[in-house]
Amino acid sequence: DAGVIQSPRHEVTEMGQEVTLRCKPISGHNSLFWYRQTMMRGLELLIYFNNNVPIDDSGMPEDRFSAKMPNASFSTLKIQPSEPRDSAVYFCASSLAQPDNSPLHFGNGTRLTVT
Amino acid sequence: SQKIEQNSEALNIQEGKTATLTCNYTNYSPAYLQWYRQDPGRGPVFLLLIRENEKEKRKERLKVTFDTTLKQSLFHITASQPADSATYLCALNGQNFVFGPGTRLSVLP
């Protein structure tokens, strides 16, 4: 199993540009999560999906952020327009359907730098 | 307000000793609690899960306890090795999956 695959690994962009982060979850997993990690705030949940449906997006910072899951094998997190304070590592994770005690499997993240 | 705290930002111990990490939570009633390990530049990796009706769980050199009265979980690594150096995160299922800030463990040879 390839695990959760995220792309790109690194993204450097200028303020105001659109950024799209991509995630391929583990096959057979029904839940998908997007987290953001910074030194100041740690690992913050942005949004999670069950069976491709967004269940809780209360962690999405503002309207500049949007996430989609068009099918069970692909999800995107888009920031438009990007700002320097969006600089962070963004993780995607998948698991068997929540709420459950199934562990989360994380990708290796996308390090986003907005200048 | 809801809060998850881990005992310290960083913990240094000598190789061979037991490392004990603490996770405390406020205003949650989790059915279970999980521990993860994170290495630099990588995503967190699941280690152990303990349910609210379990007092203790073990896996090789790892032991987790869960006290729902104290609202606390302890994570122990016995006979620690330099390869155990990493950041350890606790996570619980509140309204959704929430992580603590992590403790960076350094095992010194």
Side-chain angles (χ1 to χ4, degrees):
Chain A
D1 194 338
V4 175
I5 300 172
Q6 291 187 247
S7 64
R9 280 286 271 145
H10 302 274
E11 177 79 45
V12 180
T13 191
E14 290 183 349
M15 184 173 65
Q17 295 298 306
E18 176 181 303
V19 174
T20 299
L21 311 181
R22 296 173 175 80
C23 175
K24 178 178 166 53
I26 292 174
S27 177
H29 281 187
N30 305 102
S31 293
L32 184 139
F33 303 75
W34 282 100
Y35 283 88
R36 176 171 69 177
Q37 188 173 41
T38 60
M39 289 291 292
M40 290 296 295
R41 300 175 68 91
L43 204 55
E44 300 175 278
L45 178 65
L46 300 177
I47 186 171
Y48 88 91
F49 296 83
N50 262 2
N51 296 315
N52 314 337
V53 176
I55 301 300
D56 185 349
D57 65 355
S58 59
M60 296 285 262
E62 47 198 272
D63 292 346
R64 298 184 298 105
F65 285 68
S66 62
K68 292 183 179 178
M69 192 163 186
N71 57 61
S73 58
F74 184 65
S75 178
T76 58
L77 178 68
K78 186 179 291 187
I79 308 173
Q80 179 185 26
S82 57
E83 296 182 3
R85 61 192 166 124
D86 302 331
S87 297
V89 181
Y90 290 81
F91 287 103
C92 174
S94 70
S95 75
L96 296 174
Q98 300 291 342
D100 197 323
N101 58 13
S102 301
L104 271 58
H105 298 257
F106 283 81
N108 282 328
T110 294
R111 180 174 294 278
L112 174 64
T113 303
V114 184
T115 60
Chain B
S1 62
Q2 294 179 317
K3 199 189 309 186
I4 304 175
E5 294 175 309
Q6 295 191 235
N7 54 327
S8 56
E9 197 173 307
L11 181 65
N12 296 330
I13 63 166
Q14 273 318 118
E15 182 176 5
K17 301 291 187 185
T18 296
T20 297
L21 286 63
T22 305
C23 176
N24 294 291
Y25 57 91
T26 309
N27 292 327
Y28 285 103
S29 297
Y32 56 91
L33 189 145
Q34 301 185 7
W35 283 89
Y36 289 75
R37 168 184 173 140
Q38 186 174 23
D39 290 286
R42 309 297 291 267
V45 174
F46 171 76
L47 295 175
L48 276 172
L49 175 150
I50 186 164
R51 294 178 178 79
E52 60 179 337
N53 60 351
E54 297 176 318
K55 286 284 194 304
E56 181 180 297
K57 199 72 153 306
R58 290 177 185 260
K59 179 182 175 183
E60 297 171 353
R61 295 184 295 111
L62 308 180
K63 184 177 86 170
V64 173
T65 62
F66 192 11
D67 188 326
T68 55
T69 302
L70 290 179
K71 295 187 182 297
Q72 180 182 79
S73 175
L74 299 179
F75 177 80
H76 306 272
I77 306 175
T78 58
S80 60
Q81 304 166 1
D84 295 327
S85 298
T87 297
Y88 292 86
L89 302 139
C90 64
L92 52 84
N93 62 327
Q95 193 168 355
N96 40 47
F97 233 99
V98 186
F99 282 80
T103 296
R104 188 172 65 251
L105 173 68
S106 296
V107 180
L108 309 172

